[in-house]
Amino acid sequence: MDRNPSPPSSEAEEEGDAVGNTVYSKHWLFSILTRLIEVISPEKTEPAASPEGVQTELDEEMENDICKVWDMSMDEDVALFLQEFNAPDIFMGVFAKSKCPRLTEICVGILGNMACFQDICMSISKDESLGQVLLQRLCDSDSPTLLETSRLLLTCLSQPEVANVWVERIRENPSVYDCVCFIMSSSTNVELLVKVGEVVDKLFDLDEELMLNWIKNGTCRSVGPSVDDSPEELPDFKIVPCILEAAKQVRSDNPEGLDVYMHILQLLTTVDEGIQAIVQAPDGGKETWTLLYDLVCHELCQPDDPPIIVQEQKTVLASILSVLSAMFASQTEQEYTKMRKSKSCFFLGFYMPLIGSLIRILQYMEGCGKRSVDKSKESEEQETGKADLNEEDFHLKILKDICCELLSNMLQELTKENTLEGLHQGHLNEQTCSCAFQNLLPLYFTSVESFLEVLREADQTLADNLEKRFPSLKVHT
């Protein structure tokens, strides 16, 4: 069944039978929990049971009823009732004995709903046995179960009171790394990939030590899940290729998911080990660079988009440009060590289109800035509106800072040949150069001055015009 049935809405059968302030019957809920125990009991063999006497499929009536409980568990009173009657322990029995994927999925989903309430979340999280069993569900071969498990983990990791418990538990359980990498590298289920990405993003944001461990984990092999439950050695997973594979799957169907995976890459670049994991891959970081380059130059903030698009894409753009900036700085340093400004450098082939895209982003931000000023005047007396506007300005400033840093570094490395190519392709002209100078000066004066010298060799007239528009440059030349 694709959708959960709506929960029962009839009045409780007897006075005092209602669960809290709801209209749900305690007796009915208790009867479902009792039937759930019977489903996993080997004493009674049903027609749909396995040879060991455990059902592999749910009958329609039982599935409808347990799905009603799943929906009802979003109510705090119902969640507390389930907690009081040891539903988590019953679900533990389901996880241990059930061979029915749908039943496992529903039980994890109910726990996920219950965990939305702080006290219950703390109780679930402090149960070490339940915690270990739930992490084992990440090795499941059933996508719906994996989705509900990931949702449950994200719910727990998002509650400060118990987040550290789960971080420590995951850090001590190496199989989690294998299972997560396996999902990211092989699943085509976009919804699952997004949720798993959110879990990884949250983990890395919460704990740098765990992130470092996962960066280094690709150096050893370990045993992980197999579809047929037979022991199988998983590939030697490395975190970066797995993240890239997942990003490729979600990029077209889920912009929010792409944002998540780009932020994971950005978090990796906050530590030296993460940058090295990206740029010292067997392909020298080409796969990462190519994907990010393609997103910036061919998908995000395009010439036929309205300038306001930069507002919608500001966080994903900031993450992508931050990673590109870290990669560029690292690769430039390595290339200098090998061969001074070698034209064989892989990244030189991407210079001009990327510079053109960076300048376009800055141009669009200027357009958004003018809109923001107008909106600010209109809502001067609306404090809430001003707060939202200030938050938007803050994120745009972050994007601008990252964009300017990368642009300045790239301009400083341009040769006469690159510049002529940019002029020919239309990426460089008086308008785009003026926009670049306007945003880079005075902070990146050295980079602008260096570029202007190269530009003078390629187009003296354009260089002279720019000097007239920016007198501070003429003084120093």
Side-chain angles (χ1 to χ4, degrees), residues 13-60:
E13 295 175 1
E14 302 174 9
E15 187 176 352
D17 186 45
V19 177
N21 294 320
T22 73
V23 296
Y24 305 131
S25 164
K26 291 180 182 178
H27 181 269
W28 183 86
L29 271 170
F30 189 76
S31 71
I32 300 303
L33 294 177
T34 303
R35 287 169 59 196
L36 188 57
I37 296 173
E38 293 173 355
V39 166
I40 60 173
S41 172
E43 297 175 4
K44 182 180 178 182
T45 304
E46 300 290 342
S50 68
E52 293 80 13
V54 181
Q55 283 185 252
T56 57
E57 293 183 9
L58 283 174
D59 62 70
E60 186 175 351

Side-chain angles (χ1 to χ4, degrees), residues 260-278:
V260 167
Y261 279 99
M262 293 302 101
H263 190 254
I264 294 173
L265 283 176
Q266 183 182 7
L267 287 173
L268 291 182
T269 64
T270 61
V271 294
D272 289 339
E273 293 85 349
I275 297 174
Q276 296 310 310
I278 294 173

Side-chain angles (χ1 to χ4, degrees), residues 66-330:
I66 195 68
C67 279
K68 289 175 184 177
V69 177
W70 189 358
D71 284 336
M72 293 162 61
S73 62
M74 290 187 288
D75 186 290
E76 186 172 9
D77 286 335
V78 174
L80 288 169
F81 176 85
L82 293 173
Q83 175 77 0
E84 180 184 352
F85 280 86
N86 300 317
D89 290 340
I90 297 174
F91 298 153
M92 280 268 285
V94 171
F95 303 148
K97 298 179 181 180
S98 174
K99 300 296 181 182
C100 175
R102 178 61 170 161
L103 180 59
T104 302
E105 173 205 353
I106 295 170
C107 291
V108 177
I110 294 172
L111 275 176
N113 284 349
M114 294 171 64
C116 292
F117 306 104
Q118 184 178 332
D119 290 344
I120 300 177
C121 186
M122 292 181 67
S123 176
I124 291 173
S125 300
K126 290 177 180 179
D127 187 329
E128 186 62 28
S129 297
L130 180 58
Q132 293 297 336
V133 168
L134 288 172
L135 290 184
Q136 290 171 13
R137 298 274 64 78
L138 286 173
C139 297
D140 208 297
S141 60
D142 180 60
S143 290
T145 298
L146 290 171
L147 177 61
E148 292 307 318
T149 303
S150 301
R151 185 174 72 88
L152 170 58
L153 289 177
L154 185 62
T155 299
C156 294
L157 289 168
S158 299
Q159 299 211 21
E161 297 80 9
V162 298
N164 289 339
V165 174
W166 286 98
V167 169
E168 185 65 26
R169 188 174 285 148
I170 291 170
R171 191 191 298 141
E172 294 175 353
N173 195 327
S175 67
V176 174
Y177 170 86
D178 285 322
C179 295
V180 167
C181 284
F182 182 76
I183 293 168
M184 291 193 297
S185 62
S186 62
S187 178
T188 57
N189 185 318
V190 171
E191 189 178 5
L192 171 59
L193 287 172
V194 173
K195 194 59 64 177
V196 167
E198 290 175 342
V199 170
V200 174
D201 188 43
K202 192 68 176 177
L203 283 171
F204 286 4
D205 196 38
L206 286 169
D207 194 79
E208 185 176 294
E209 181 184 343
L210 183 142
M211 181 172 70
L212 287 169
N213 289 341
W214 281 27
I215 291 170
K216 299 170 184 175
N217 252 351
T219 59
C220 59
R221 291 182 178 273
S222 52
V223 176
S226 173
V227 176
D228 59 3
D229 292 330
S230 62
E232 180 178 321
E233 192 177 78
L234 286 176
D236 185 14
F237 286 125
K238 289 181 172 57
I239 191 70
V240 174
C242 296
I243 293 169
L244 293 179
E245 189 58 39
K248 291 174 187 175
Q249 286 290 332
V250 305
R251 65 185 288 186
S252 300
D253 299 323
N254 196 299
E256 292 78 14
L258 180 64
D259 199 344
V260 167
Y261 279 99
M262 293 302 101
H263 190 254
I264 294 173
L265 283 176
Q266 183 182 7
L267 287 173
L268 291 182
T269 64
T270 61
V271 294
D272 289 339
E273 293 85 349
I275 297 174
Q276 296 310 310
I278 294 173
V279 301
Q280 292 184 358
D283 65 354
K286 292 180 182 180
E287 185 179 1
T288 304
W289 182 275
T290 302
L291 173 62
L292 302 187
Y293 167 88
D294 194 43
L295 288 169
V296 173
C297 295
H298 300 132
E299 288 192 22
L300 301 172
C301 204
Q302 293 302 290
D304 55 349
D305 289 328
I308 195 68
I309 195 71
V310 78
Q311 284 279 16
E312 298 176 16
Q313 300 174 350
K314 56 185 178 289
T315 56
V316 67
L317 281 169
S319 294
I320 292 172
L321 297 184
S322 181
V323 177
L324 287 173
S325 186
M327 291 184 69
F328 185 82
S330 177

Side-chain angles (χ1 to χ4, degrees), residues 358-401:
L358 293 175
I359 294 174
R360 181 167 61 251
I361 291 170
L362 291 172
Q363 289 174 321
Y364 281 12
M365 280 194 283
E366 288 178 354
C368 287
K370 293 175 183 177
R371 287 172 177 263
S372 295
V373 171
D374 295 338
K375 284 178 68 177
S376 180
K377 290 178 180 178
E378 292 175 9
S379 59
E380 205 167 340
E381 297 179 359
Q382 300 176 12
E383 293 300 322
T384 303
K386 286 176 69 178
D388 292 341
L389 181 63
N390 290 337
E391 184 177 353
E392 283 185 1
D393 289 344
F394 174 74
H395 288 295
L396 281 176
K397 184 180 184 304
I398 292 175
L399 174 58
K400 179 181 177 180
D401 290 346

